[in-house]
Amino acid sequence: MRKDWKSNLHFASYTVRGNLLFLTALWLLSLVMVNPTGNFPLNDDWSYGLAVKQLVESGEFRPTGWTSMPLITQALWGYLFCLPFGFSFETLRLSTLTLSLLGIFGSYYLIRELHPSRLLALVVSLIVAFNPIYYALSTTFMTDVPFTAIAIVAAIFFVRHLKQSSRVDWIIGTLFCIAATLTRQLALAIPIAFAVAFILKNRFSIRHTILAIAPALLCISALLLFQYWLTSTGRLPALYNAQSKNLLNALESPGIVFKVIGNTFLAMLYMGWFLLPMLILNMKEVFEAVRNNTGLRLALIIATLIFLTLAIFAWFSGFHIPSPHQGNTIHTAGIGTLTLRDTYFLKPEFQLHQDQSLFGTLSLHDTYFLQLPHVTALPLSFWVLMTIAALIGTTILTLVLLLTVKKLFSTSSDKNNSDQAITCFVLLSVAIYMIPLVIGGFLDRYLVPVIPLVAAGVASLSARLPALPDTQSLSRYATPTFIIALFVALTICGTHDYFAWNKARWTALNELTQSKLASPGDVDGGFEFNGLNLYDPEFRTTRDKSWWWVHNDTYLLTFGAVQGYSIVKEYPYKKWMPPSDASVYILQKNSHNFR
């Protein structure tokens, strides 16, 4: 018996290593195909990169004004990579890719803490690794992926503590929570949820209350001390409190209830889409559990009617996949923000950048964006199918949440019942994290940290559902595998195209500025170019230019022709989605002669 136990343990560890090696090999192969190279910033990471550059050159942490989070954990992480390699955006990209792989492994171990199936853990890891937002942001120095990876590790150790009451797990979980909070403030959701789950498991006592709330108090204290240091030393970024102001403005706005409902529906839609392979795996058990409960059947019928009504209304209101309301990383043409004047779009009601101290009396949608159809959108039929898939996933996810609430309230809550506390912890972390987002509005990339936590909640519930006879059948994994393969293809092709056009863009801009035909002040090269070269917290935009620190738009970089400009030079690149030739262009205002 003892020999068999050791043999099984050895086989299990071998299988885990095999799964992790498979994940690593597939992930590395995909990066070779995408080839995410080039010493240039992407999206907001020009700002975060400049903070690391300052740290490398002067030893001081001075974030730019275009920073709305603490950032210090990520800046120090990037600094460590720059010590041997020197500062570059490629080096910073490598630092994010390292944390991205940690997040993928962390997702695997988080599910293994909650569910016995190694195949389910592998499915969730693939879902996280090749989520189009997580993957694309892994190739940048944006904060989303590092924050997610650190938060996952913190969640693993808190789950372990709720299972085993290990002091070491409590300490490590708290330390990672502090690191996550000093990356982005919303990490506070994790220790707050842990406090509730800990009390739920252990009951009230002075000792238990201290152990429960200490991680949250330590994280809040670290955040407040860091903010005090930034303020007292004159380093507090201009946009540091922008999200808080946005949230307060949203609470005071008319129709806040309808906005919250719409944002909640859209967040559920994205989660249903992202987690569809896993949700399909649990579909049989979930529907069987609902079928055997009259109350849940009635709730399902009512919820379905409401859901279908909302779905029809939402589609015609623009709440679909990808949503123009929350689109940032995923858009109708693929993956990666189109940060050029002719194609840029951000929903008018998203108020983050409409701070009067930055843009005077102008709001973001008052500035001059052309929104020209220069980038070919994927067929509407493709996005209709994606939305249908998301609706299916959302329906299953809604059932899972109904079952979870039922089990949380019906399970006997004795001191040793850690399952109840763990499920409460992971799902309450999601709920607390999402509250400010559904109130104030969010971009699609803000949902990245939620993906592994929602998956953990589903795994925690499904581990306690009665297994059906065909649970172990490999044929059950055929549909999820096919869907994951589609996600892998979409993600690789979309991220490849994102880098392809950015490489062409920066080749064009470097040629233009290095040849002394123009200085950066004469060019609207897109958000990243003008931010990197011309960021000024006191800048005032005008209605006839992009809001991103454009002094003179004598030269313009675009995906196509623009009225009032002449094409100076074309820079072609290859697209994979769909396979085609495309170009970016340097344009010059007609009122100026090309020198």
Side-chain angles (χ1 to χ4, degrees), residues 7-226:
S7 176
N8 290 335
L9 183 63
H10 175 73
F11 175 74
S13 78
Y14 175 79
T15 306
V16 169
R17 289 198 300 271
N19 285 343
L20 295 181
L21 285 173
F22 170 75
L23 281 168
T24 305
L26 183 61
W27 187 74
L28 290 175
L29 176 62
S30 71
L31 289 175
V32 171
M33 297 172 67
V34 169
N35 188 24
T37 56
N39 185 24
F40 50 77
L42 294 165
N43 210 334
D44 290 323
D45 75 3
W46 60 267
S47 172
Y48 314 142
L50 288 178
V52 177
K53 186 178 182 182
Q54 175 78 13
L55 194 59
V56 170
E57 293 177 350
S58 68
E60 291 190 346
F61 177 70
R62 288 190 175 274
T64 72
W66 195 259
T67 304
S68 58
M69 71 285 294
L71 189 67
I72 183 64
T73 303
Q74 182 171 334
L76 290 172
W77 179 256
Y79 171 77
L80 291 176
F81 278 75
C82 290
L83 287 178
F85 300 113
F87 174 83
S88 72
F89 284 99
E90 285 185 313
T91 300
L92 297 182
R93 211 169 287 147
L94 177 62
S95 75
T96 308
L97 285 168
T98 304
L99 285 179
S100 174
L101 191 58
L102 174 67
I104 296 167
F105 288 172
S107 299
Y108 184 92
Y109 281 107
L110 180 60
I111 300 304
R112 290 288 289 130
E113 289 290 337
L114 302 170
H115 198 283
S117 172
R118 290 183 295 274
L119 276 176
L120 181 64
L122 180 61
V123 167
V124 172
S125 301
L126 287 168
I127 287 172
V128 172
F130 292 99
N131 174 273
I133 303 177
Y134 183 91
Y135 186 94
L137 293 178
S138 296
T139 59
T140 73
F141 194 60
M142 297 287 284
T143 60
D144 306 84
V145 169
F147 169 72
T148 301
I150 299 169
I152 289 172
V153 176
I156 290 172
F157 284 100
F158 278 150
V159 166
R160 286 169 57 90
H161 179 77
L162 290 171
K163 289 173 68 174
Q164 304 167 5
S165 299
S166 165
R167 185 175 300 177
V168 173
D169 289 333
W170 184 92
I171 293 171
I172 297 175
T174 301
L175 291 174
F176 273 96
C177 255
I178 293 172
T181 303
L182 292 178
T183 303
R184 300 186 73 157
Q185 298 93 325
L186 283 178
L188 290 173
I190 295 175
I192 293 172
F194 172 77
V196 176
F198 188 92
I199 294 296
L200 179 68
K201 178 189 174 186
N202 296 287
R203 297 292 181 268
F204 284 102
S205 72
I206 295 177
R207 177 177 176 273
H208 290 158
T209 302
I210 292 173
L211 287 173
I213 66 174
L217 291 178
L218 288 170
C219 288
I220 293 171
S221 299
L223 181 61
L224 292 177
L225 285 171
F226 180 70

Side-chain angles (χ1 to χ4, degrees), residues 21 124 317 367 369 536:
L21 285 173
V124 172
S317 301
T367 56
F369 290 110
D536 177 5

Side-chain angles (χ1 to χ4, degrees), residues 382-461:
F382 174 82
W383 293 119
V384 170
L385 287 174
M386 293 300 100
T387 302
I388 292 172
L391 287 169
I392 293 170
T394 306
T395 303
I396 303 171
L397 183 57
T398 303
L399 292 177
V400 169
L401 294 177
L402 286 172
L403 279 171
T404 302
V405 171
K406 177 181 178 295
K407 285 188 172 290
L408 283 177
F409 284 100
S410 63
T411 304
S412 60
S413 52
D414 56 69
K415 186 174 180 179
N416 295 320
N417 185 13
S418 60
D419 288 346
Q420 186 183 18
I422 290 169
T423 304
C424 175
F425 164 63
V426 292
L427 292 183
L428 193 57
S429 295
V430 172
I432 297 171
Y433 176 89
M434 288 302 303
I435 286 171
L437 300 186
V438 298
I439 294 174
F442 60 90
L443 300 177
D444 56 10
R445 59 186 174 86
Y446 295 176
L447 297 177
V448 166
V450 176
I451 299 170
L453 292 174
V454 174
V458 176
S460 178
L461 174 68

Side-chain angles (χ1 to χ4, degrees), residues 44 46-48 50-51 62-69 71 234-242 352-353 355 357-359 531 535-538 549:
D44 290 323
W46 60 267
S47 172
Y48 314 142
L50 288 178
R62 288 190 175 274
T64 72
W66 195 259
T67 304
S68 58
M69 71 285 294
L71 189 67
R235 304 166 197 250
L236 190 73
L239 279 182
Y240 190 85
N241 295 312
L352 174 61
H353 302 309
D355 192 306
S357 65
L358 292 175
F359 300 109
Y535 172 74
D536 177 5
E538 301 300 323
W549 313 283

